[in-house]
Amino acid sequence: MSRFLSYRFADLEPYVPGEQPQDQQYIKLNTNESPYPASPKACERARDAIERLKLYPDPDCKALAESLAEYLAGKYGVQLTKDNVLLTNGSDEVLNFAFMAFCDEKTPAVFPDITYGFYPVFADMNGAPYREIPLTEDFRISPEDYAKAGGTLFIANPNAHTGIALSRDEVEGIIESNRDKVVVVDEAYVDFGCESCVPLVEKYDNLLVTQTFSKSRSMAGARLGFGIAGREIISDLNTIRNSTNPYNINGMTMAAGIGVLEDDEYTMSNCRKIIENRQYTVSELKKLGFELTDSIGNFVFMKHPDYDGGKLYEDLKKAGILVRHFTKERIAQYNRVTIGSREQMEAFINTLKEII
Ligand code: PMP
């Protein structure tokens, strides 16, 4: 730390992203990326956009915002315009904007004790206090615990690491009981079998749903995410965006985003394959004695009664397979494993058979 760093950040503990090794060819099952390539249409449009590299991109992201609003309206059967969506540099950015916009000393952030590890970092970064609500013994979010929570709520659905989801009705109950606070529903993994809360956006002016192009749309490297909400919340978030980085989406990413939305059958067919591969992986893991949460994300969360979680992570890494291990005490026996292609999952299971 230099002697110049502001006291505000002196104790900040940054988020630690999953390893992105550049040196060795691993079977990479640690950061919930898609095993399938980005849509050919997305790549084609991104290549065309290279021609316009000398110009700043459209700060309003108008063409993509319009396509996205139309796409979401069709997918979820709701009325949305471009004023209901905000495009961001990954969904991490819209989440950070939400902490900036809706949390402060008077309005703490509230989220589960086991969830996306970036939430406490965003809170600290923005000087907002936070309260963590413990998951139940079996790692579930108990909706009653979130009634009148007294702060801005952040709920990943399905939840990060566990992959366990609440139904839309359960989330609606939480939104109903927190009408004077913003409820952020982080749907990064929604496309792998979870009910979305986007249809509730018309009804509740305190709801912000976030989604991403990183997972189901195979575009983690392009950094594209979005928020969906009533126009007032979107306008607040735009104030923050325009006060930090109005050109937050680069031109190639914008173009690729439009391309992938035109190719939704490609995305949906990849999601179906991931769901099948998840079912295969879960059944094989159970045969090997693993205990798993009921994940409906593109990952499983597993532990073995006779094998230490940290050691299993190390042994898999030595065998060329990278998974995600968290040291937080409550989940230290678990590993989170991204669902890859069928070949990758077969190699993973075969390696486990040798290790265990
Ligand atoms: N929310 C959750 C629950 C996540 O796991 C992630 C991925 N790390 C994100 C949001 C952010 O993803 P991205 O910024 O790539 O959209």
Side-chain angles (χ1 to χ4, degrees):
M1 188 200 307
S2 83
R3 62 201 161 88
F4 308 107
L5 183 69
S6 164
Y7 70 91
R8 290 174 298 145
F9 305 123
D11 296 328
L12 189 64
E13 269 193 50
Y15 176 70
V16 182
E19 296 160 89
Q20 301 293 353
Q22 312 290 321
D23 56 338
Q24 201 188 326
Q25 282 291 320
Y26 283 99
I27 296 186
K28 199 173 169 305
L29 306 177
N30 67 330
T31 48
N32 296 345
E33 290 138 329
S34 173
Y36 307 115
S39 134
K41 277 203 179 170
C43 298
E44 190 189 314
R45 282 200 175 251
R47 268 191 297 271
D48 292 347
I50 290 177
E51 301 299 323
R52 299 186 293 280
L53 211 48
K54 67 174 183 181
L55 300 175
Y56 282 107
D58 172 12
D60 296 328
C61 219
K62 186 165 176 274
L64 176 55
E66 280 172 353
S67 315
L68 181 63
E70 195 184 322
Y71 165 82
L72 294 169
K75 178 166 176 169
Y76 296 114
V78 279
Q79 296 233 314
L80 294 171
T81 72
K82 68 171 180 37
D83 299 330
N84 297 111
V85 297
L86 175 86
L87 274 306
T88 52
N89 194 306
S91 56
D92 278 340
E93 191 178 48
V94 61
L95 290 166
N96 189 26
F97 288 169
F99 277 86
M100 282 192 212
F102 306 120
C103 300
D104 53 38
E105 335 48 81
K106 288 194 208 133
T107 311
V110 180
F111 42 80
D113 64 338
I114 305 295
T115 190
Y116 187 28
F118 224 142
Y119 299 161
V121 181
F122 285 139
D124 286 343
M125 175 71 200
N126 293 297
Y130 61 86
R131 180 161 74 88
E132 292 176 305
I133 300 182
L135 296 181
T136 60
E137 200 59 32
D138 58 351
F139 289 142
R140 290 178 185 278
I141 288 178
S142 172
E144 312 80 81
D145 294 347
Y146 295 78
K148 301 208 186 318
T152 301
L153 276 170
F154 290 83
I155 296 183
N157 198 42
N159 197 13
H161 313 330
T162 67
I164 300 174
L166 294 172
S167 69
R168 185 185 299 141
D169 286 348
E170 287 173 311
V171 183
E172 183 164 7
I174 295 175
I175 302 166
E176 274 283 1
S177 67
N178 289 278
R179 284 312 301 266
D180 57 349
K181 293 285 182 300
V182 173
V183 178
V184 180
V185 183
D186 174 351
E187 296 189 347
Y189 302 105
V190 74
D191 290 327
F192 305 102
C194 178
E195 269 185 326
S196 172
C197 287
V198 171
L200 302 178
V201 158
E202 285 176 310
K203 194 165 162 194
Y204 295 100
D205 67 352
N206 62 324
L207 170 64
L208 168 65
V209 180
T210 65
Q211 293 191 6
T212 181
F213 284 64
S214 297
K215 317 290 180 185
S216 55
R217 299 185 182 83
S218 306
M219 277 177 46
R223 310 305 300 124
L224 189 60
F226 56 96
I228 312 134
R231 5 168 101 229
E232 287 170 353
I233 282 189
I234 296 297
S235 159
D236 294 343
L237 295 171
N238 259 319
T239 302
I240 304 283
R241 183 182 69 88
N242 285 320
S243 310
T244 14
N245 183 11
Y247 301 113
N248 60 334
I249 315 288
N250 74 69
M252 278 89 69
T253 293
M254 245 181 237
I258 293 175
V260 75
L261 293 179
E262 288 167 350
D263 207 2
D264 198 42
E265 188 34 49
Y266 177 79
T267 298
M268 289 304 127
S269 113
N270 287 344
C271 289
R272 286 191 291 273
K273 284 193 262 181
I274 299 278
I275 292 168
E276 274 168 29
N277 295 346
R278 183 179 70 211
Q279 285 160 348
Y280 159 79
T281 307
V282 166
S283 87
E284 292 298 314
L285 287 172
K286 284 187 175 161
K287 284 185 213 160
L288 292 174
F290 279 92
E291 294 165 16
L292 298 130
T293 55
D294 283 333
S295 171
I296 57 168
N298 64 339
F299 53 88
V300 290
F301 196 54
M302 59 173 215
K303 77 166 179 184
H304 198 282
D306 308 323
Y307 215 91
D308 179 71
K311 176 154 172 34
L312 184 59
Y313 159 82
E314 292 294 347
D315 289 350
L316 282 165
K317 190 169 179 183
K318 275 187 216 134
I321 298 183
L322 211 49
V323 299
R324 190 88 192 257
H325 180 250
F326 301 92
T327 49
K328 196 167 185 168
E329 203 185 328
R330 228 188 137 182
I331 53 172
Q333 285 312 314
Y334 283 80
N335 280 288
R336 191 195 67 192
V337 182
T338 304
I339 300 299
S341 66
R342 187 59 170 245
E343 298 70 43
Q344 288 178 316
M345 299 329 284
E346 281 169 1
F348 167 65
I349 296 292
N350 288 336
T351 306
L352 277 180
K353 283 181 185 161
E354 282 164 26
I355 293 176
I356 300 272

